[in-house]
């Protein structure tokens, strides 16, 4: 038996042609080594965020509280010009505190329960939120496989994962972005869980945009904390995605699509498989 790094996976896609008289099959090989390497990068990013957050959150919040209080006291004794400066200090302190609050999300214990989740209920909710707010002018192309069984995960965190991915796609492609979200069942993806047991990740959710794609200098680092290709971005959104997906024993990867734009793939386990492993 060859080592796992030499195993080659084949993606097979069926496309109806014409009036449905015949079907075109496309077979695309892919190396499992690259897939495993990207998963390792994603998990390493999740661990680095957790360690960084637990170290910084408490130490930063204490001096911030003192700075904010001092600025408010100064504002009471200043003229209107200097009051604006103290208000600026308070505003910036609050902005930093918001960043620290995001960091604490990563260092919090894994208190969320993973269970059976209908992935399409998650995606429908995410699209409803997006269309009602930041993606009101965008075009969405949902291509869902309605036969998919429940995945292993947490509903709220899955909503956060795909909301971040959709928002990232919209910001990359612009306010009139054209985004395709696909769900599919994929055979042949088996990975080792934290407990050492092999699990399969057959449910694949892809978020593809029509933006400029991932810059070369950011490839391999998108899931690292504080790495962002957007002006003013915190670089925590995709790190949060990596952390949550890893907690659900899944994996997330990203690449540029041959036809343009970026596409993110989230691989998730089946709830029935995880329940069977526990019994």
């Amino acid at each position: 038996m060859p080592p796992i790094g030499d195993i080659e996976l084949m993606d097979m896609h069926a496309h109806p042609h014409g009036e449905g008289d015949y079907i075109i099959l496309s077979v695309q090989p892919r190396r499992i080594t690259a897939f495993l390497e990207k998963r390792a990068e994603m998990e390493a990013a999740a661990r680095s965020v957790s360690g960084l957050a637990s170290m910084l959150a408490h130490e930063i919040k204490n001096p911030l509280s003192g700075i904010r209080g001092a600025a408010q006291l100064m504002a009471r004794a200043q003229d209107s010009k200097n009051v604006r400066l103290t208000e600026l200090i308070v505003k910036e302190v609050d902005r930093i505190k918001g960043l620290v609050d995001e960091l604490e999300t990563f260092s919090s214990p894994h208190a969320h329960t993973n269970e059976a989740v209908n992935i399409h209920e998650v995606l429908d909710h995410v699209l409803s939120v997006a269309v009602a707010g930041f993606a009101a002018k965008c075009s969405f192309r949902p291509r869902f496989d309605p036969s998919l069984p429940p995945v292993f995960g947490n509903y709220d965190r899955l909503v956060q994962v795909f909301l971040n991915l959709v928002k990232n796609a919209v910001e990359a492609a612009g306010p009139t972005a054209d985004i395709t979200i696909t769900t599919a069942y994929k055979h042949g993806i088996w990975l080792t869980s934290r407990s050492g047991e092999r699990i399969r990740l057959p449910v694949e959710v892809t978020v593809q945009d029509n933006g400029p794609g991932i810059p070369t200098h950011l490839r391999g680092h998108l899931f690292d904390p504080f790495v962002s290709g957007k002006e003013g971005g915190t670089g925590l959104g995709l790190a949060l995605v990596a952390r949550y997906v890893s907690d659900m024993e899944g994996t997330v990867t990203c690449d540029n699509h041959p036809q343009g734009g970026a596409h993110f793939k989230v691989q998730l386990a089946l709830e029935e498989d995880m329940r069977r492993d526990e019994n």
Side-chain angles (χ1 to χ4, degrees), residues 114-241:
N114 291 323
E115 55 192 1
V117 179
N118 184 324
I119 193 63
H120 295 123
E121 290 182 1
V122 170
L123 296 174
D124 286 342
H125 180 76
V126 167
L127 289 178
S128 296
V129 172
V131 170
F134 63 87
K137 297 181 180 180
C138 298
S139 297
F140 288 98
R141 303 175 189 268
R143 297 177 179 173
F144 296 165
D145 179 353
S147 66
L148 292 181
V151 300
F152 177 73
N154 177 273
Y155 179 88
D156 291 336
R157 288 198 164 187
L158 282 170
V159 166
Q160 191 65 37
V161 163
F162 290 106
L163 201 57
N164 272 326
L165 291 181
V166 169
K167 188 174 182 181
N168 185 75
V170 170
E171 291 175 346
T176 57
D178 191 338
I179 299 171
T180 301
I181 302 179
T182 306
T183 63
Y185 193 97
K186 299 287 185 177
H187 295 277
I189 301 296
W190 289 80
L191 295 174
T192 303
S193 69
R194 295 184 186 86
S195 62
E197 298 183 1
R198 293 182 72 234
I199 57 174
R200 59 175 180 156
L201 305 176
V203 174
E204 179 179 275
V205 184
T206 303
V207 178
Q208 180 183 337
D209 63 56
N210 64 331
I214 304 168
T216 302
H217 69 283
L218 290 182
R219 292 188 185 184
H221 301 286
L222 275 182
F223 298 110
D224 292 345
F226 308 114
V227 173
S228 176
K230 298 171 293 187
E231 184 177 353
T234 63
L236 289 177
L238 291 179
L240 178 71
V241 168

Side-chain angles (χ1 to χ4, degrees), residues 68-79:
R68 192 180 194 280
Q72 289 176 316
L73 289 174
M74 288 171 58
R76 298 174 186 174
Q78 301 296 328
D79 55 37

Side-chain angles (χ1 to χ4, degrees), residues 4-5 14 26 28 153 193 215 255-257 270:
I4 193 169
S26 61
Q28 300 175 337
S193 69
D255 207 344
N256 286 333
H257 195 273
L270 297 182

Side-chain angles (χ1 to χ4, degrees), residues 25-176:
L25 293 178
S26 61
V27 180
Q28 300 175 337
R30 59 177 175 172
R31 303 294 297 182
I32 196 170
T33 303
F35 183 88
L36 293 175
E37 287 175 350
K38 289 183 178 180
R39 181 176 190 255
E41 291 172 1
M42 182 267 292
E43 291 185 340
R47 288 193 299 270
S48 67
V49 174
S50 180
L52 179 65
S54 60
M55 177 182 68
L56 292 180
H58 178 74
E59 296 300 324
I60 292 178
K61 273 192 170 182
N62 282 341
L64 282 181
S65 178
I67 294 171
R68 192 180 194 280
Q72 289 176 316
L73 289 174
M74 288 171 58
R76 298 174 186 174
Q78 301 296 328
D79 55 37
S80 59
K81 180 180 178 180
N82 289 324
V83 165
R84 286 196 295 273
L85 293 177
T86 57
E87 288 175 348
L88 177 62
I89 294 173
V90 171
K91 183 178 179 181
E92 287 300 288
V93 166
D94 288 343
R95 186 176 64 84
I96 297 172
K97 180 180 179 298
L99 181 61
V100 175
D101 288 340
E102 287 190 59
L103 279 172
E104 285 190 314
T105 301
F106 295 104
S107 62
S108 61
H110 302 175
H112 290 74
T113 301
N114 291 323
E115 55 192 1
V117 179
N118 184 324
I119 193 63
H120 295 123
E121 290 182 1
V122 170
L123 296 174
D124 286 342
H125 180 76
V126 167
L127 289 178
S128 296
V129 172
V131 170
F134 63 87
K137 297 181 180 180
C138 298
S139 297
F140 288 98
R141 303 175 189 268
R143 297 177 179 173
F144 296 165
D145 179 353
S147 66
L148 292 181
V151 300
F152 177 73
N154 177 273
Y155 179 88
D156 291 336
R157 288 198 164 187
L158 282 170
V159 166
Q160 191 65 37
V161 163
F162 290 106
L163 201 57
N164 272 326
L165 291 181
V166 169
K167 188 174 182 181
N168 185 75
V170 170
E171 291 175 346
T176 57

